[in-house]
Amino acid sequence: MKKQNTQKKYVPELSQKEIDELSNSIKTSSQKIVAETIKRMKESDKNRPKTMKYFDEMADLFGKREKEIIEAKKSGKKIIGYLCLFAPIELILAADAIPVRINSGWYDATKIGDRVVPVEVCPVIRSTIGAKMVSLSPFLENSDAIISVLTCDAMTKLGEILTDYTPIWQMTIPRIKDSDQALRLWIEEIKSIKKEIEKLTGNKITRKKLRRAIELTQKATKAFRRLQQLRKGNPVIMGRDAMLAIQTYIWDDVERWTKNTNKLCDELEKRVKNKDWSVPPDTPRVLITGTPMFWPDNWKVPSLVEEANPKGVILADEICSSERILNDPVGVDEWSMNDMLNAIGERYLMASTCACFSSTDGNEDRINWLITKIKDHKIDGVIYYVVRGCMLYAMEYTRVKKVLDQLNIPVYYLDTEYTREDVGQMKTRVEAFLEMLTARIDF
Amino acid sequence: MSMETLGNLLQIAVFGGLILAGALVILIWVKDKTKNISTLRLFVQIAFVPLIFLGLLIGPFGLPQNPNLGDAPRERLLGADLLGNQFPDGLSVPILACWYPNGRTVTCSVWQLQAYLFPFWDAGPGFGWGTFYSSNGLERIGITLGLMIAMSLLIGRAFCGWICPFGLYNDLMIRIRKIFKKPHLSFSEKTNKAIGQLRYLIIAAFLILSVILGSQAIVGTQLVGDTAPGEYYYSYFTAPFCQVCPMKPLCILVEVGAGAMNPLEEINHSTGVFYEAGYYVTSLNIIVLGLVTAGALAFRRFWCRICPLGGLTALFSTFYPFKKLALLRLNKIEEKCTKCGICKRVCPTQVTEVYEEKGGDVTVSGCMLCFRCVEMCPYEDCLEVKMARKTVLKSRNWLEPSESE
C-alpha cells in the first residue's frame, strides 16, 4: 500500500463542528424517514409477513448492525467496504473480514457531495461522497479499506476521490466480458485483491476457508432463489418488502441473513398454502430495471408503485441493489484454489448484466435476463428507472424498449433525482402507467 | 447352445438389474446435486467394465494361438452369428474395448475397420484362433459401419462419456490429480479445435497404412517376416493403429485380472523386437500409454480429445446429415442463459460451443455428452438433454433442494 498523502486532493476541509452538525441533521431526518417508510409499509399492508421484523431491524442503519460492526472492529476484525457488486465478497469472508457495501442512499448527502463534483454527476456518487465528508454512513466510516471497481465513469472517479479518506483498492474491470483476455485480466485482478486482503487482515485465505465462504454465499443464493420462486406465483409478499430483505444482505452477516430469509420463505410458503395473498391476484405485476436504489432514502419508487392507486406489485427486478446481488452462484468444478479463484472470477464478470459492459450483440445477457424474468414472473409492465446522470442505463433504454415492444410488454421510462420534491409528480406518472396496465389486464 | 445362450442372457439380465438398482440408489442417496450425474456416470462406467469383458468370464478360458489350452469361446460371443454371417469378432461398438484380449464380448470398431479393409474380397480364416469368416471383407465392413452408425445415432458420443473403459481410465487420472490438489492445465481454444480435427487425419492415415501394410503382407514384398495371412504378425500389420493404441496394455491388465492370461508366460514370450514388448503389446503401445497417462494427469480427458474412434462416433452423430437423425442431443435455451461461463469451465474436453452458441442444438463433435455442464448449470431448464426430442434431463437449480434449515 502506498503511503497516504495527508493533504486532501479532492475534498474541502470541513471543521469538526460542521461535520457533526450536518451529519446529525441528515441522520435525524433519515431516521425519521426510515421509520415513516417502514410504518407505511406496515400500515398499507395489513398482511405483512411477521418475519419481516428482522429485516426492519436490520434496515435501521444506525442500530444493531452498526453496533455489531463497531464491536467486531474493536475485537480486531477488519471491515472491507465495496462499491460495486463486482467485489469478490467470498474472499473477504474467507479472510474473516466483514464485507459491507457502502453506496449511499441519503438524499441530503448529495448536497454536500455537490461541493466536490458537479450536479450532472450521478447522485449515487454525489451522495456517497457527501456521506463520507460528514462521516454519515456507519459502514463507510468503519471500513478499513474499500474495494472500488472501475465500472461506470462516475464509479471510476469516486474511488479516486475517496482516497482522501480511506485506502482504496482499485480493480479494473474489462468493459468487454466475452473474451479470453478479459477473463484473464479479471482473474489476475481477483488474485491481486486476494493478496491485498490477506495483507490487511493478516489471515491467509486457505483452500478450506475459501471453500467454506463459497458455500456460505451459495446457501445465501439458495435462500434468495427460494424467495424468488415464491414471487413467481400470486403475490404473497409486497415487492418493497422483498427488495428490502434482499438489500439488507449487502451489510448483514451472511449466515444470519440466510437463516432469516429461509424463515421468511417458510412463512410465505404457509401463506401460499392458505391462499393468503398480500394483494388481489389481478394486481398489475411490475418489474423494475435500471439504476440501483439504495436504502434508506432512495426507496421512493417501490413505495410509490405499491402505494399508488391503482396499486401495482413488484414481482421482480433487474437492479444491482436487489436481485442481481445474489442471482448467480459461484459454481466450482474442482475444489482447488485455482479453480475456486477462476469460478469466483467468472461469477462476478461473466454472469453480470451491468450496463457498463459493451458487446456487439447489444448486452444480450441483460435482455435475456429481462425476458426470462418477465416470463417466469408473468410481468405485465416494466418500469425503467434511471437517475439523472446515469448515462449507461439511460442509453440502453431504446434497446430494451425495442425488445419489450416485441413481447408486447409496456415499458415506462421513469427518470428522477435524489430528491423528495418530485414525489408528487412521479406519483401521477406511476399511477397513469399502472392504470394503463390495469386496463390491459381487464381487457 | 440354446441352454448356454439362455444362461448367458440370464447372467446379463441379473447384471443389468444390479446396475439399475445401483443407479437408483445413487440417484436417491447422492444429495449434492453438483455430484449427482457425475457419481452416476462413474458408476455406469465401472459397471460396464465387466460387461464389456464378459467374454473373459464365461465359458472355458483359452489363449489365442495356443491350442493346448483350449479354444476361445467364440460361439458364446454376442456377435457370433449376425445377419446370417459368421461374425466371430464380437459386436462392433464405438468404445476402446480391445479385440486382442481373448473372449471379448464387444470390439472396438477401429480394429474391425482396419482388419477387414484389406483384403476385402476374402472370406476364410479369421484373425483369432479357430475363427472363420463366412462372408467377405466388404460385407463385414458393412456390418461394422452399419452397427457404428446405428449406435452413434442412438446415443452418439455418450459412448465416450459413459461407457468407454479408457474414458474411465482418463477420469481416474483426474481423480488422482484431485487427490494431490493440483490444478489442471487447459489447451488454448485454437489448439483444442486443432486437436479435434487431428482425429480425422489420424483415422485416415491409419486406414491407408492398414491397406499398405496389408497389401505388403499379402502380395509378398514383406517388410518383416511372418506377416502373410495366418502367420504370426499378420494381425499386427493389418491393424496398425492398434499397435500404438494406449488401451491395449490396459486390456492385458483386465485379462490378467480375470485369470484368463498368465502374465509370466507373457514375459517369457517376449522376443525383444521393437514392435513386440509382450504377448501382443508392442513397445509403442506402452510408450503411448505412458504419454497419454501423463497427459491425462495434466489435462482433463486428454485422450478423448484426440481419439479417432470418438472422432468417428462424432462424424456419425454431429455432422450433416447424421445430425438431423441423431437421437441424443444437448439443447440450450438462450433466454435462460446468463452466460456465467460455468459450462465452459467445467467441460472436461473444453467444448466452448455450449457457452458460445445462442441456443438450440449445441451438440458438437468435441462433446462427449458426459452432461457435466447440465449438472453444473445453475439456471433451471437452461440446458436440457433430449432423447428423441423428449427431454430426459434438465439443468436444475442445484442450490434449490428446499430443505429448511
Side-chain angles (χ1 to χ4, degrees):
Chain A
M1 221 178 296
K2 261 189 276 171
K3 224 171 139 190
Q4 291 290 314
N5 199 341
T6 40
Q7 202 194 342
K8 294 200 175 3
K9 291 188 279 299
Y10 273 96
V11 202
E13 296 284 354
L14 296 177
S15 68
Q16 192 56 43
K17 193 171 158 248
E18 204 178 350
I19 290 176
D20 286 347
E21 253 171 37
L22 284 166
S23 145
N24 279 336
S25 82
I26 297 176
K27 216 184 256 185
T28 331
S29 70
S30 157
Q31 266 173 324
K32 222 172 87 191
I33 288 166
V34 169
E36 203 181 293
T37 313
I38 291 177
K39 202 177 134 211
R40 278 215 313 274
M41 277 166 142
K42 281 178 186 158
E43 272 173 8
S44 68
D45 181 12
K46 293 275 176 299
N47 213 358
R48 197 156 183 261
K50 283 177 193 66
T51 30
M52 277 304 290
K53 200 174 157 238
Y54 167 78
F55 297 105
D56 291 345
E57 192 186 358
M58 274 299 127
D60 183 8
L61 300 181
F62 306 105
K64 192 177 166 193
R65 190 60 184 157
E66 183 185 15
K67 278 189 204 90
E68 277 177 3
I69 283 191
I70 290 169
E71 239 157 65
K73 203 171 163 161
K74 265 186 204 150
S75 72
K77 269 197 169 187
K78 298 287 180 194
I79 318 293
I80 296 174
Y82 60 97
L83 283 163
C84 268
L85 277 186
F86 296 96
I89 67 158
E90 282 84 1
L91 292 175
I92 303 174
L93 289 170
D96 272 337
I98 299 175
V100 280
R101 193 169 174 191
I102 50 169
N103 299 46
S104 147
W106 284 283
Y107 286 160
D108 298 337
T110 50
K111 293 188 186 73
I112 306 161
D114 287 348
R115 298 186 196 178
V116 182
V117 289
V119 281
E120 285 82 23
V121 173
C122 161
V124 180
I125 272 69
R126 283 187 287 139
S127 173
T128 310
I129 296 171
K132 183 70 217 181
M133 280 165 76
V134 298
S135 314
L136 179 61
S137 158
F139 309 133
L140 189 48
E141 238 20 70
N142 288 304
S143 295
D144 293 293
I146 290 170
I147 299 177
S148 157
V149 185
L150 312 185
T151 47
C152 58
D153 292 351
M155 211 45 105
T156 310
K157 281 291 146 187
L158 174 62
E160 197 179 308
I161 292 166
L162 289 180
T163 48
D164 278 351
Y165 296 102
T166 323
I168 301 281
W169 302 330
Q170 293 191 316
M171 293 173 88
T172 324
I173 191 144
R175 285 287 180 92
I176 303 165
K177 59 178 172 177
D178 213 357
S179 72
D180 240 15
Q181 63 271 32
L183 185 62
R184 276 209 300 277
L185 166 70
W186 179 242
I187 287 172
E188 286 307 312
E189 290 283 314
I190 297 258
K191 281 179 187 161
S192 80
I193 276 293
K194 175 174 164 261
K195 273 189 206 125
E196 294 278 11
I197 294 171
E198 282 175 340
K199 214 158 83 188
L200 177 80
T201 57
N203 299 330
K204 200 165 158 35
I205 298 175
T206 58
R207 208 178 58 81
K208 271 188 190 147
K209 275 182 173 176
L210 188 54
R211 179 171 181 166
R212 222 174 301 139
I214 288 175
E215 280 168 350
L216 205 62
T217 52
Q218 279 181 348
K219 273 186 197 141
T221 302
K222 188 169 112 186
F224 159 78
R225 287 198 176 179
R226 215 178 134 199
L227 180 62
Q228 283 313 106
Q229 192 63 36
L230 285 160
R231 291 171 79 191
K232 283 182 186 169
N234 287 337
V236 282
I237 181 169
M238 296 305 283
R240 60 205 153 139
D241 289 341
M243 282 166 87
L244 177 62
I246 295 165
Q247 186 159 136
T248 52
Y249 175 83
I250 63 182
W251 59 79
D252 198 357
D253 177 63
V254 176
E255 213 168 345
R256 192 174 57 189
W257 182 90
T258 312
K259 214 175 93 198
N260 281 289
T261 307
N262 275 321
K263 268 190 207 157
L264 175 64
C265 293
D266 289 342
E267 191 186 342
L268 295 181
E269 267 163 16
K270 260 181 226 147
R271 289 175 165 220
V272 173
K273 255 183 216 147
N274 299 337
K275 299 211 160 66
D276 189 4
W277 315 126
S278 32
V279 283
D282 60 350
T283 315
R285 302 161 75 93
V286 177
L287 178 144
I288 295 184
T289 178
T291 334
M293 301 169 185
F294 289 101
W295 189 262
D297 287 7
N298 193 17
W299 211 248
K300 58 184 170 187
V301 177
S303 300
L304 274 177
V305 172
E306 303 202 325
E307 282 160 22
N309 184 26
K311 221 182 214 177
V313 59
I314 300 166
L315 267 307
D317 60 69
E318 191 266 344
I319 51 179
C320 74
S321 61
S322 176
E323 278 196 34
R324 252 170 46 205
I325 301 171
L326 278 157
N327 188 60
D328 310 290
V330 177
V332 185
D333 184 23
E334 299 170 6
W335 292 97
S336 64
M337 195 64 185
N338 193 57
D339 196 56
M340 277 192 273
L341 288 177
N342 284 344
I344 290 172
E346 284 184 12
R347 177 247 184 267
Y348 284 100
L349 177 71
M350 285 155 90
S352 173
T353 53
C354 181
C356 75
F357 295 112
S358 175
S359 67
T360 43
D361 58 11
N363 208 352
E364 195 110 71
D365 299 359
R366 186 169 173 220
I367 304 297
N368 285 343
W369 168 307
L370 285 172
I371 295 174
T372 312
K373 294 279 158 175
I374 285 169
K375 282 184 181 163
D376 282 357
H377 295 265
K378 303 174 207 77
I379 297 298
D380 298 313
V382 174
I383 289 181
Y384 200 100
Y385 164 82
V386 172
V387 289
R388 247 160 250 161
C390 180
M391 247 180 295
L392 297 171
Y393 277 105
M395 284 171 84
E396 268 192 14
Y397 171 67
T398 28
R399 161 83 171 132
V400 171
K401 183 165 172 31
K402 270 197 170 171
V403 175
L404 295 184
D405 280 350
Q406 275 165 18
L407 289 174
N408 199 16
I409 298 285
V411 47
Y412 188 68
Y413 186 85
L414 192 65
D415 58 336
T416 174
E417 247 284 13
Y418 262 32
T419 169
R420 277 173 218 106
E421 278 141 28
D422 61 351
V423 170
Q425 178 223 352
M426 271 170 76
K427 194 170 181 211
T428 323
R429 291 162 71 187
V430 168
E431 279 181 349
F433 180 62
L434 290 173
E435 211 154 286
M436 190 263 283
L437 290 184
T438 321
R440 275 169 68 100
I441 292 167
D442 291 344
F443 181 72
Chain B
M1 186 241 167
S2 63
M3 274 305 283
E4 271 168 3
T5 319
L6 213 65
N8 290 345
L9 284 176
L10 202 69
Q11 278 181 357
I12 291 171
V14 168
F15 195 75
L18 280 177
I19 288 179
L20 281 179
L24 213 65
V25 167
I26 285 172
L27 284 178
I28 292 166
W29 284 98
V30 177
K31 285 268 191 286
D32 185 348
K33 280 190 177 174
T34 64
K35 291 195 178 120
N36 214 316
I37 300 178
S38 296
T39 316
L40 183 66
R41 193 165 65 87
L42 180 69
F43 175 76
V44 171
Q45 281 174 321
I46 293 172
F48 262 103
V49 171
L51 200 62
I52 288 162
F53 296 99
L54 195 64
L56 290 171
L57 299 171
I58 49 172
F61 298 127
L63 289 167
Q65 290 141 338
N66 195 341
N68 301 329
L69 291 172
D71 282 348
R74 297 287 170 213
E75 71 278 7
R76 292 162 195 273
L77 295 180
L78 281 173
D81 192 13
L82 197 73
L83 299 173
N85 288 287
Q86 266 223 313
F87 206 72
D89 295 318
L91 276 179
S92 152
V93 171
I95 51 174
L96 286 179
C98 203
W99 171 83
Y100 288 84
N102 185 31
R104 68 238 146 251
T105 328
V106 289
T107 302
C108 167
S109 313
V110 171
W111 177 83
Q112 286 181 321
L113 286 180
Q114 294 174 89
Y116 301 158
L117 195 58
F118 202 89
F120 54 81
W121 58 87
D122 235 5
F127 288 95
W129 179 257
T131 58
F132 187 83
Y133 297 130
S134 62
S135 49
N136 67 36
L138 275 184
E139 263 179 62
R140 278 178 275 137
I141 281 193
I143 292 172
T144 306
L145 273 180
L147 275 173
M148 232 195 130
I149 292 172
M151 288 186 182
S152 302
L153 289 182
L154 192 66
I155 59 170
R157 281 199 75 189
F159 276 109
C160 308
W162 289 73
I163 298 174
C164 180
F166 200 62
L168 174 65
Y169 179 74
N170 274 255
D171 278 351
L172 288 181
M173 290 304 123
I174 295 178
R175 270 160 210 276
I176 288 170
R177 175 174 54 72
K178 274 190 195 166
I179 291 171
F180 292 103
K181 311 248 161 23
K182 290 270 181 271
H184 57 75
L185 303 179
S186 298
F187 290 111
S188 74
E189 240 169 76
K190 219 171 141 192
T191 320
N192 203 38
K193 291 239 158 71
I195 291 174
Q197 283 155 359
L198 196 63
R199 293 182 295 194
Y200 301 104
L201 279 181
I202 291 176
I203 185 75
F206 276 103
L207 284 180
I208 293 166
L209 200 63
S210 154
V211 173
I212 295 170
L213 291 175
S215 67
Q216 275 173 345
I218 288 154
V219 178
T221 44
Q222 295 175 12
L223 287 174
V224 199
D226 289 345
T227 52
E231 281 179 350
Y232 195 76
Y233 297 123
Y234 178 53
S235 67
Y236 283 45
F237 272 71
T238 48
F241 175 74
C242 299
Q243 313 321 320
V244 298
C245 175
M247 186 58 189
K248 212 158 56 156
L250 294 181
C251 284
I252 288 224
L253 283 182
V254 178
E255 214 177 344
V256 170
M261 179 187 264
N262 182 357
L264 290 174
E265 195 184 330
E266 302 313 309
I267 294 162
N268 290 339
H269 221 92
S270 170
T271 50
V273 189
F274 79 97
Y275 48 82
E276 194 197 11
Y279 200 55
Y280 49 71
V281 170
T282 66
S283 30
L284 279 176
N285 280 142
I286 292 170
I287 291 167
V288 174
L289 177 65
L291 290 176
V292 170
T293 308
L297 282 170
F299 301 89
R300 291 165 298 172
R301 283 280 192 152
F302 177 74
W303 172 257
C304 306
R305 307 170 194 223
I306 202 167
C307 179
L309 185 55
L312 280 179
T313 318
L315 191 68
F316 296 132
S317 61
T318 55
F319 290 97
Y320 188 82
F322 302 102
K323 198 178 172 173
K324 305 270 171 211
L325 299 167
L327 293 179
L328 193 62
R329 311 302 288 174
L330 186 59
N331 220 52
K332 175 178 165 184
I333 293 169
E334 187 196 355
E335 296 153 18
K336 308 253 179 193
C337 176
T338 61
K339 290 223 161 188
C340 67
I342 288 180
C343 51
K344 191 168 143 189
R345 181 159 39 83
V346 302
C347 178
T349 49
Q350 286 180 255
V351 168
T352 53
E353 279 86 347
V354 176
Y355 165 76
E356 278 162 3
E357 295 277 312
K358 290 264 182 229
D361 192 339
V362 288
T363 329
V364 289
S365 66
C367 167
M368 29 169 229
L369 298 167
C370 67
F371 308 139
R372 178 71 176 147
C373 50
V374 183
E375 184 181 27
M376 282 303 285
C377 176
Y379 304 100
E380 238 164 306
D381 306 346
C382 178
L383 289 174
E384 40 185 30
V385 180
K386 294 207 162 178
M387 183 72 191
R389 300 214 169 78
K390 287 230 166 55
T391 308
V392 287
L393 201 64
K394 275 195 270 190
S395 61
R396 296 148 309 173
N397 174 3
W398 42 261
L399 296 155
E400 193 61 70
S402 86
E403 38 173 286
S404 32
E405 284 148 65

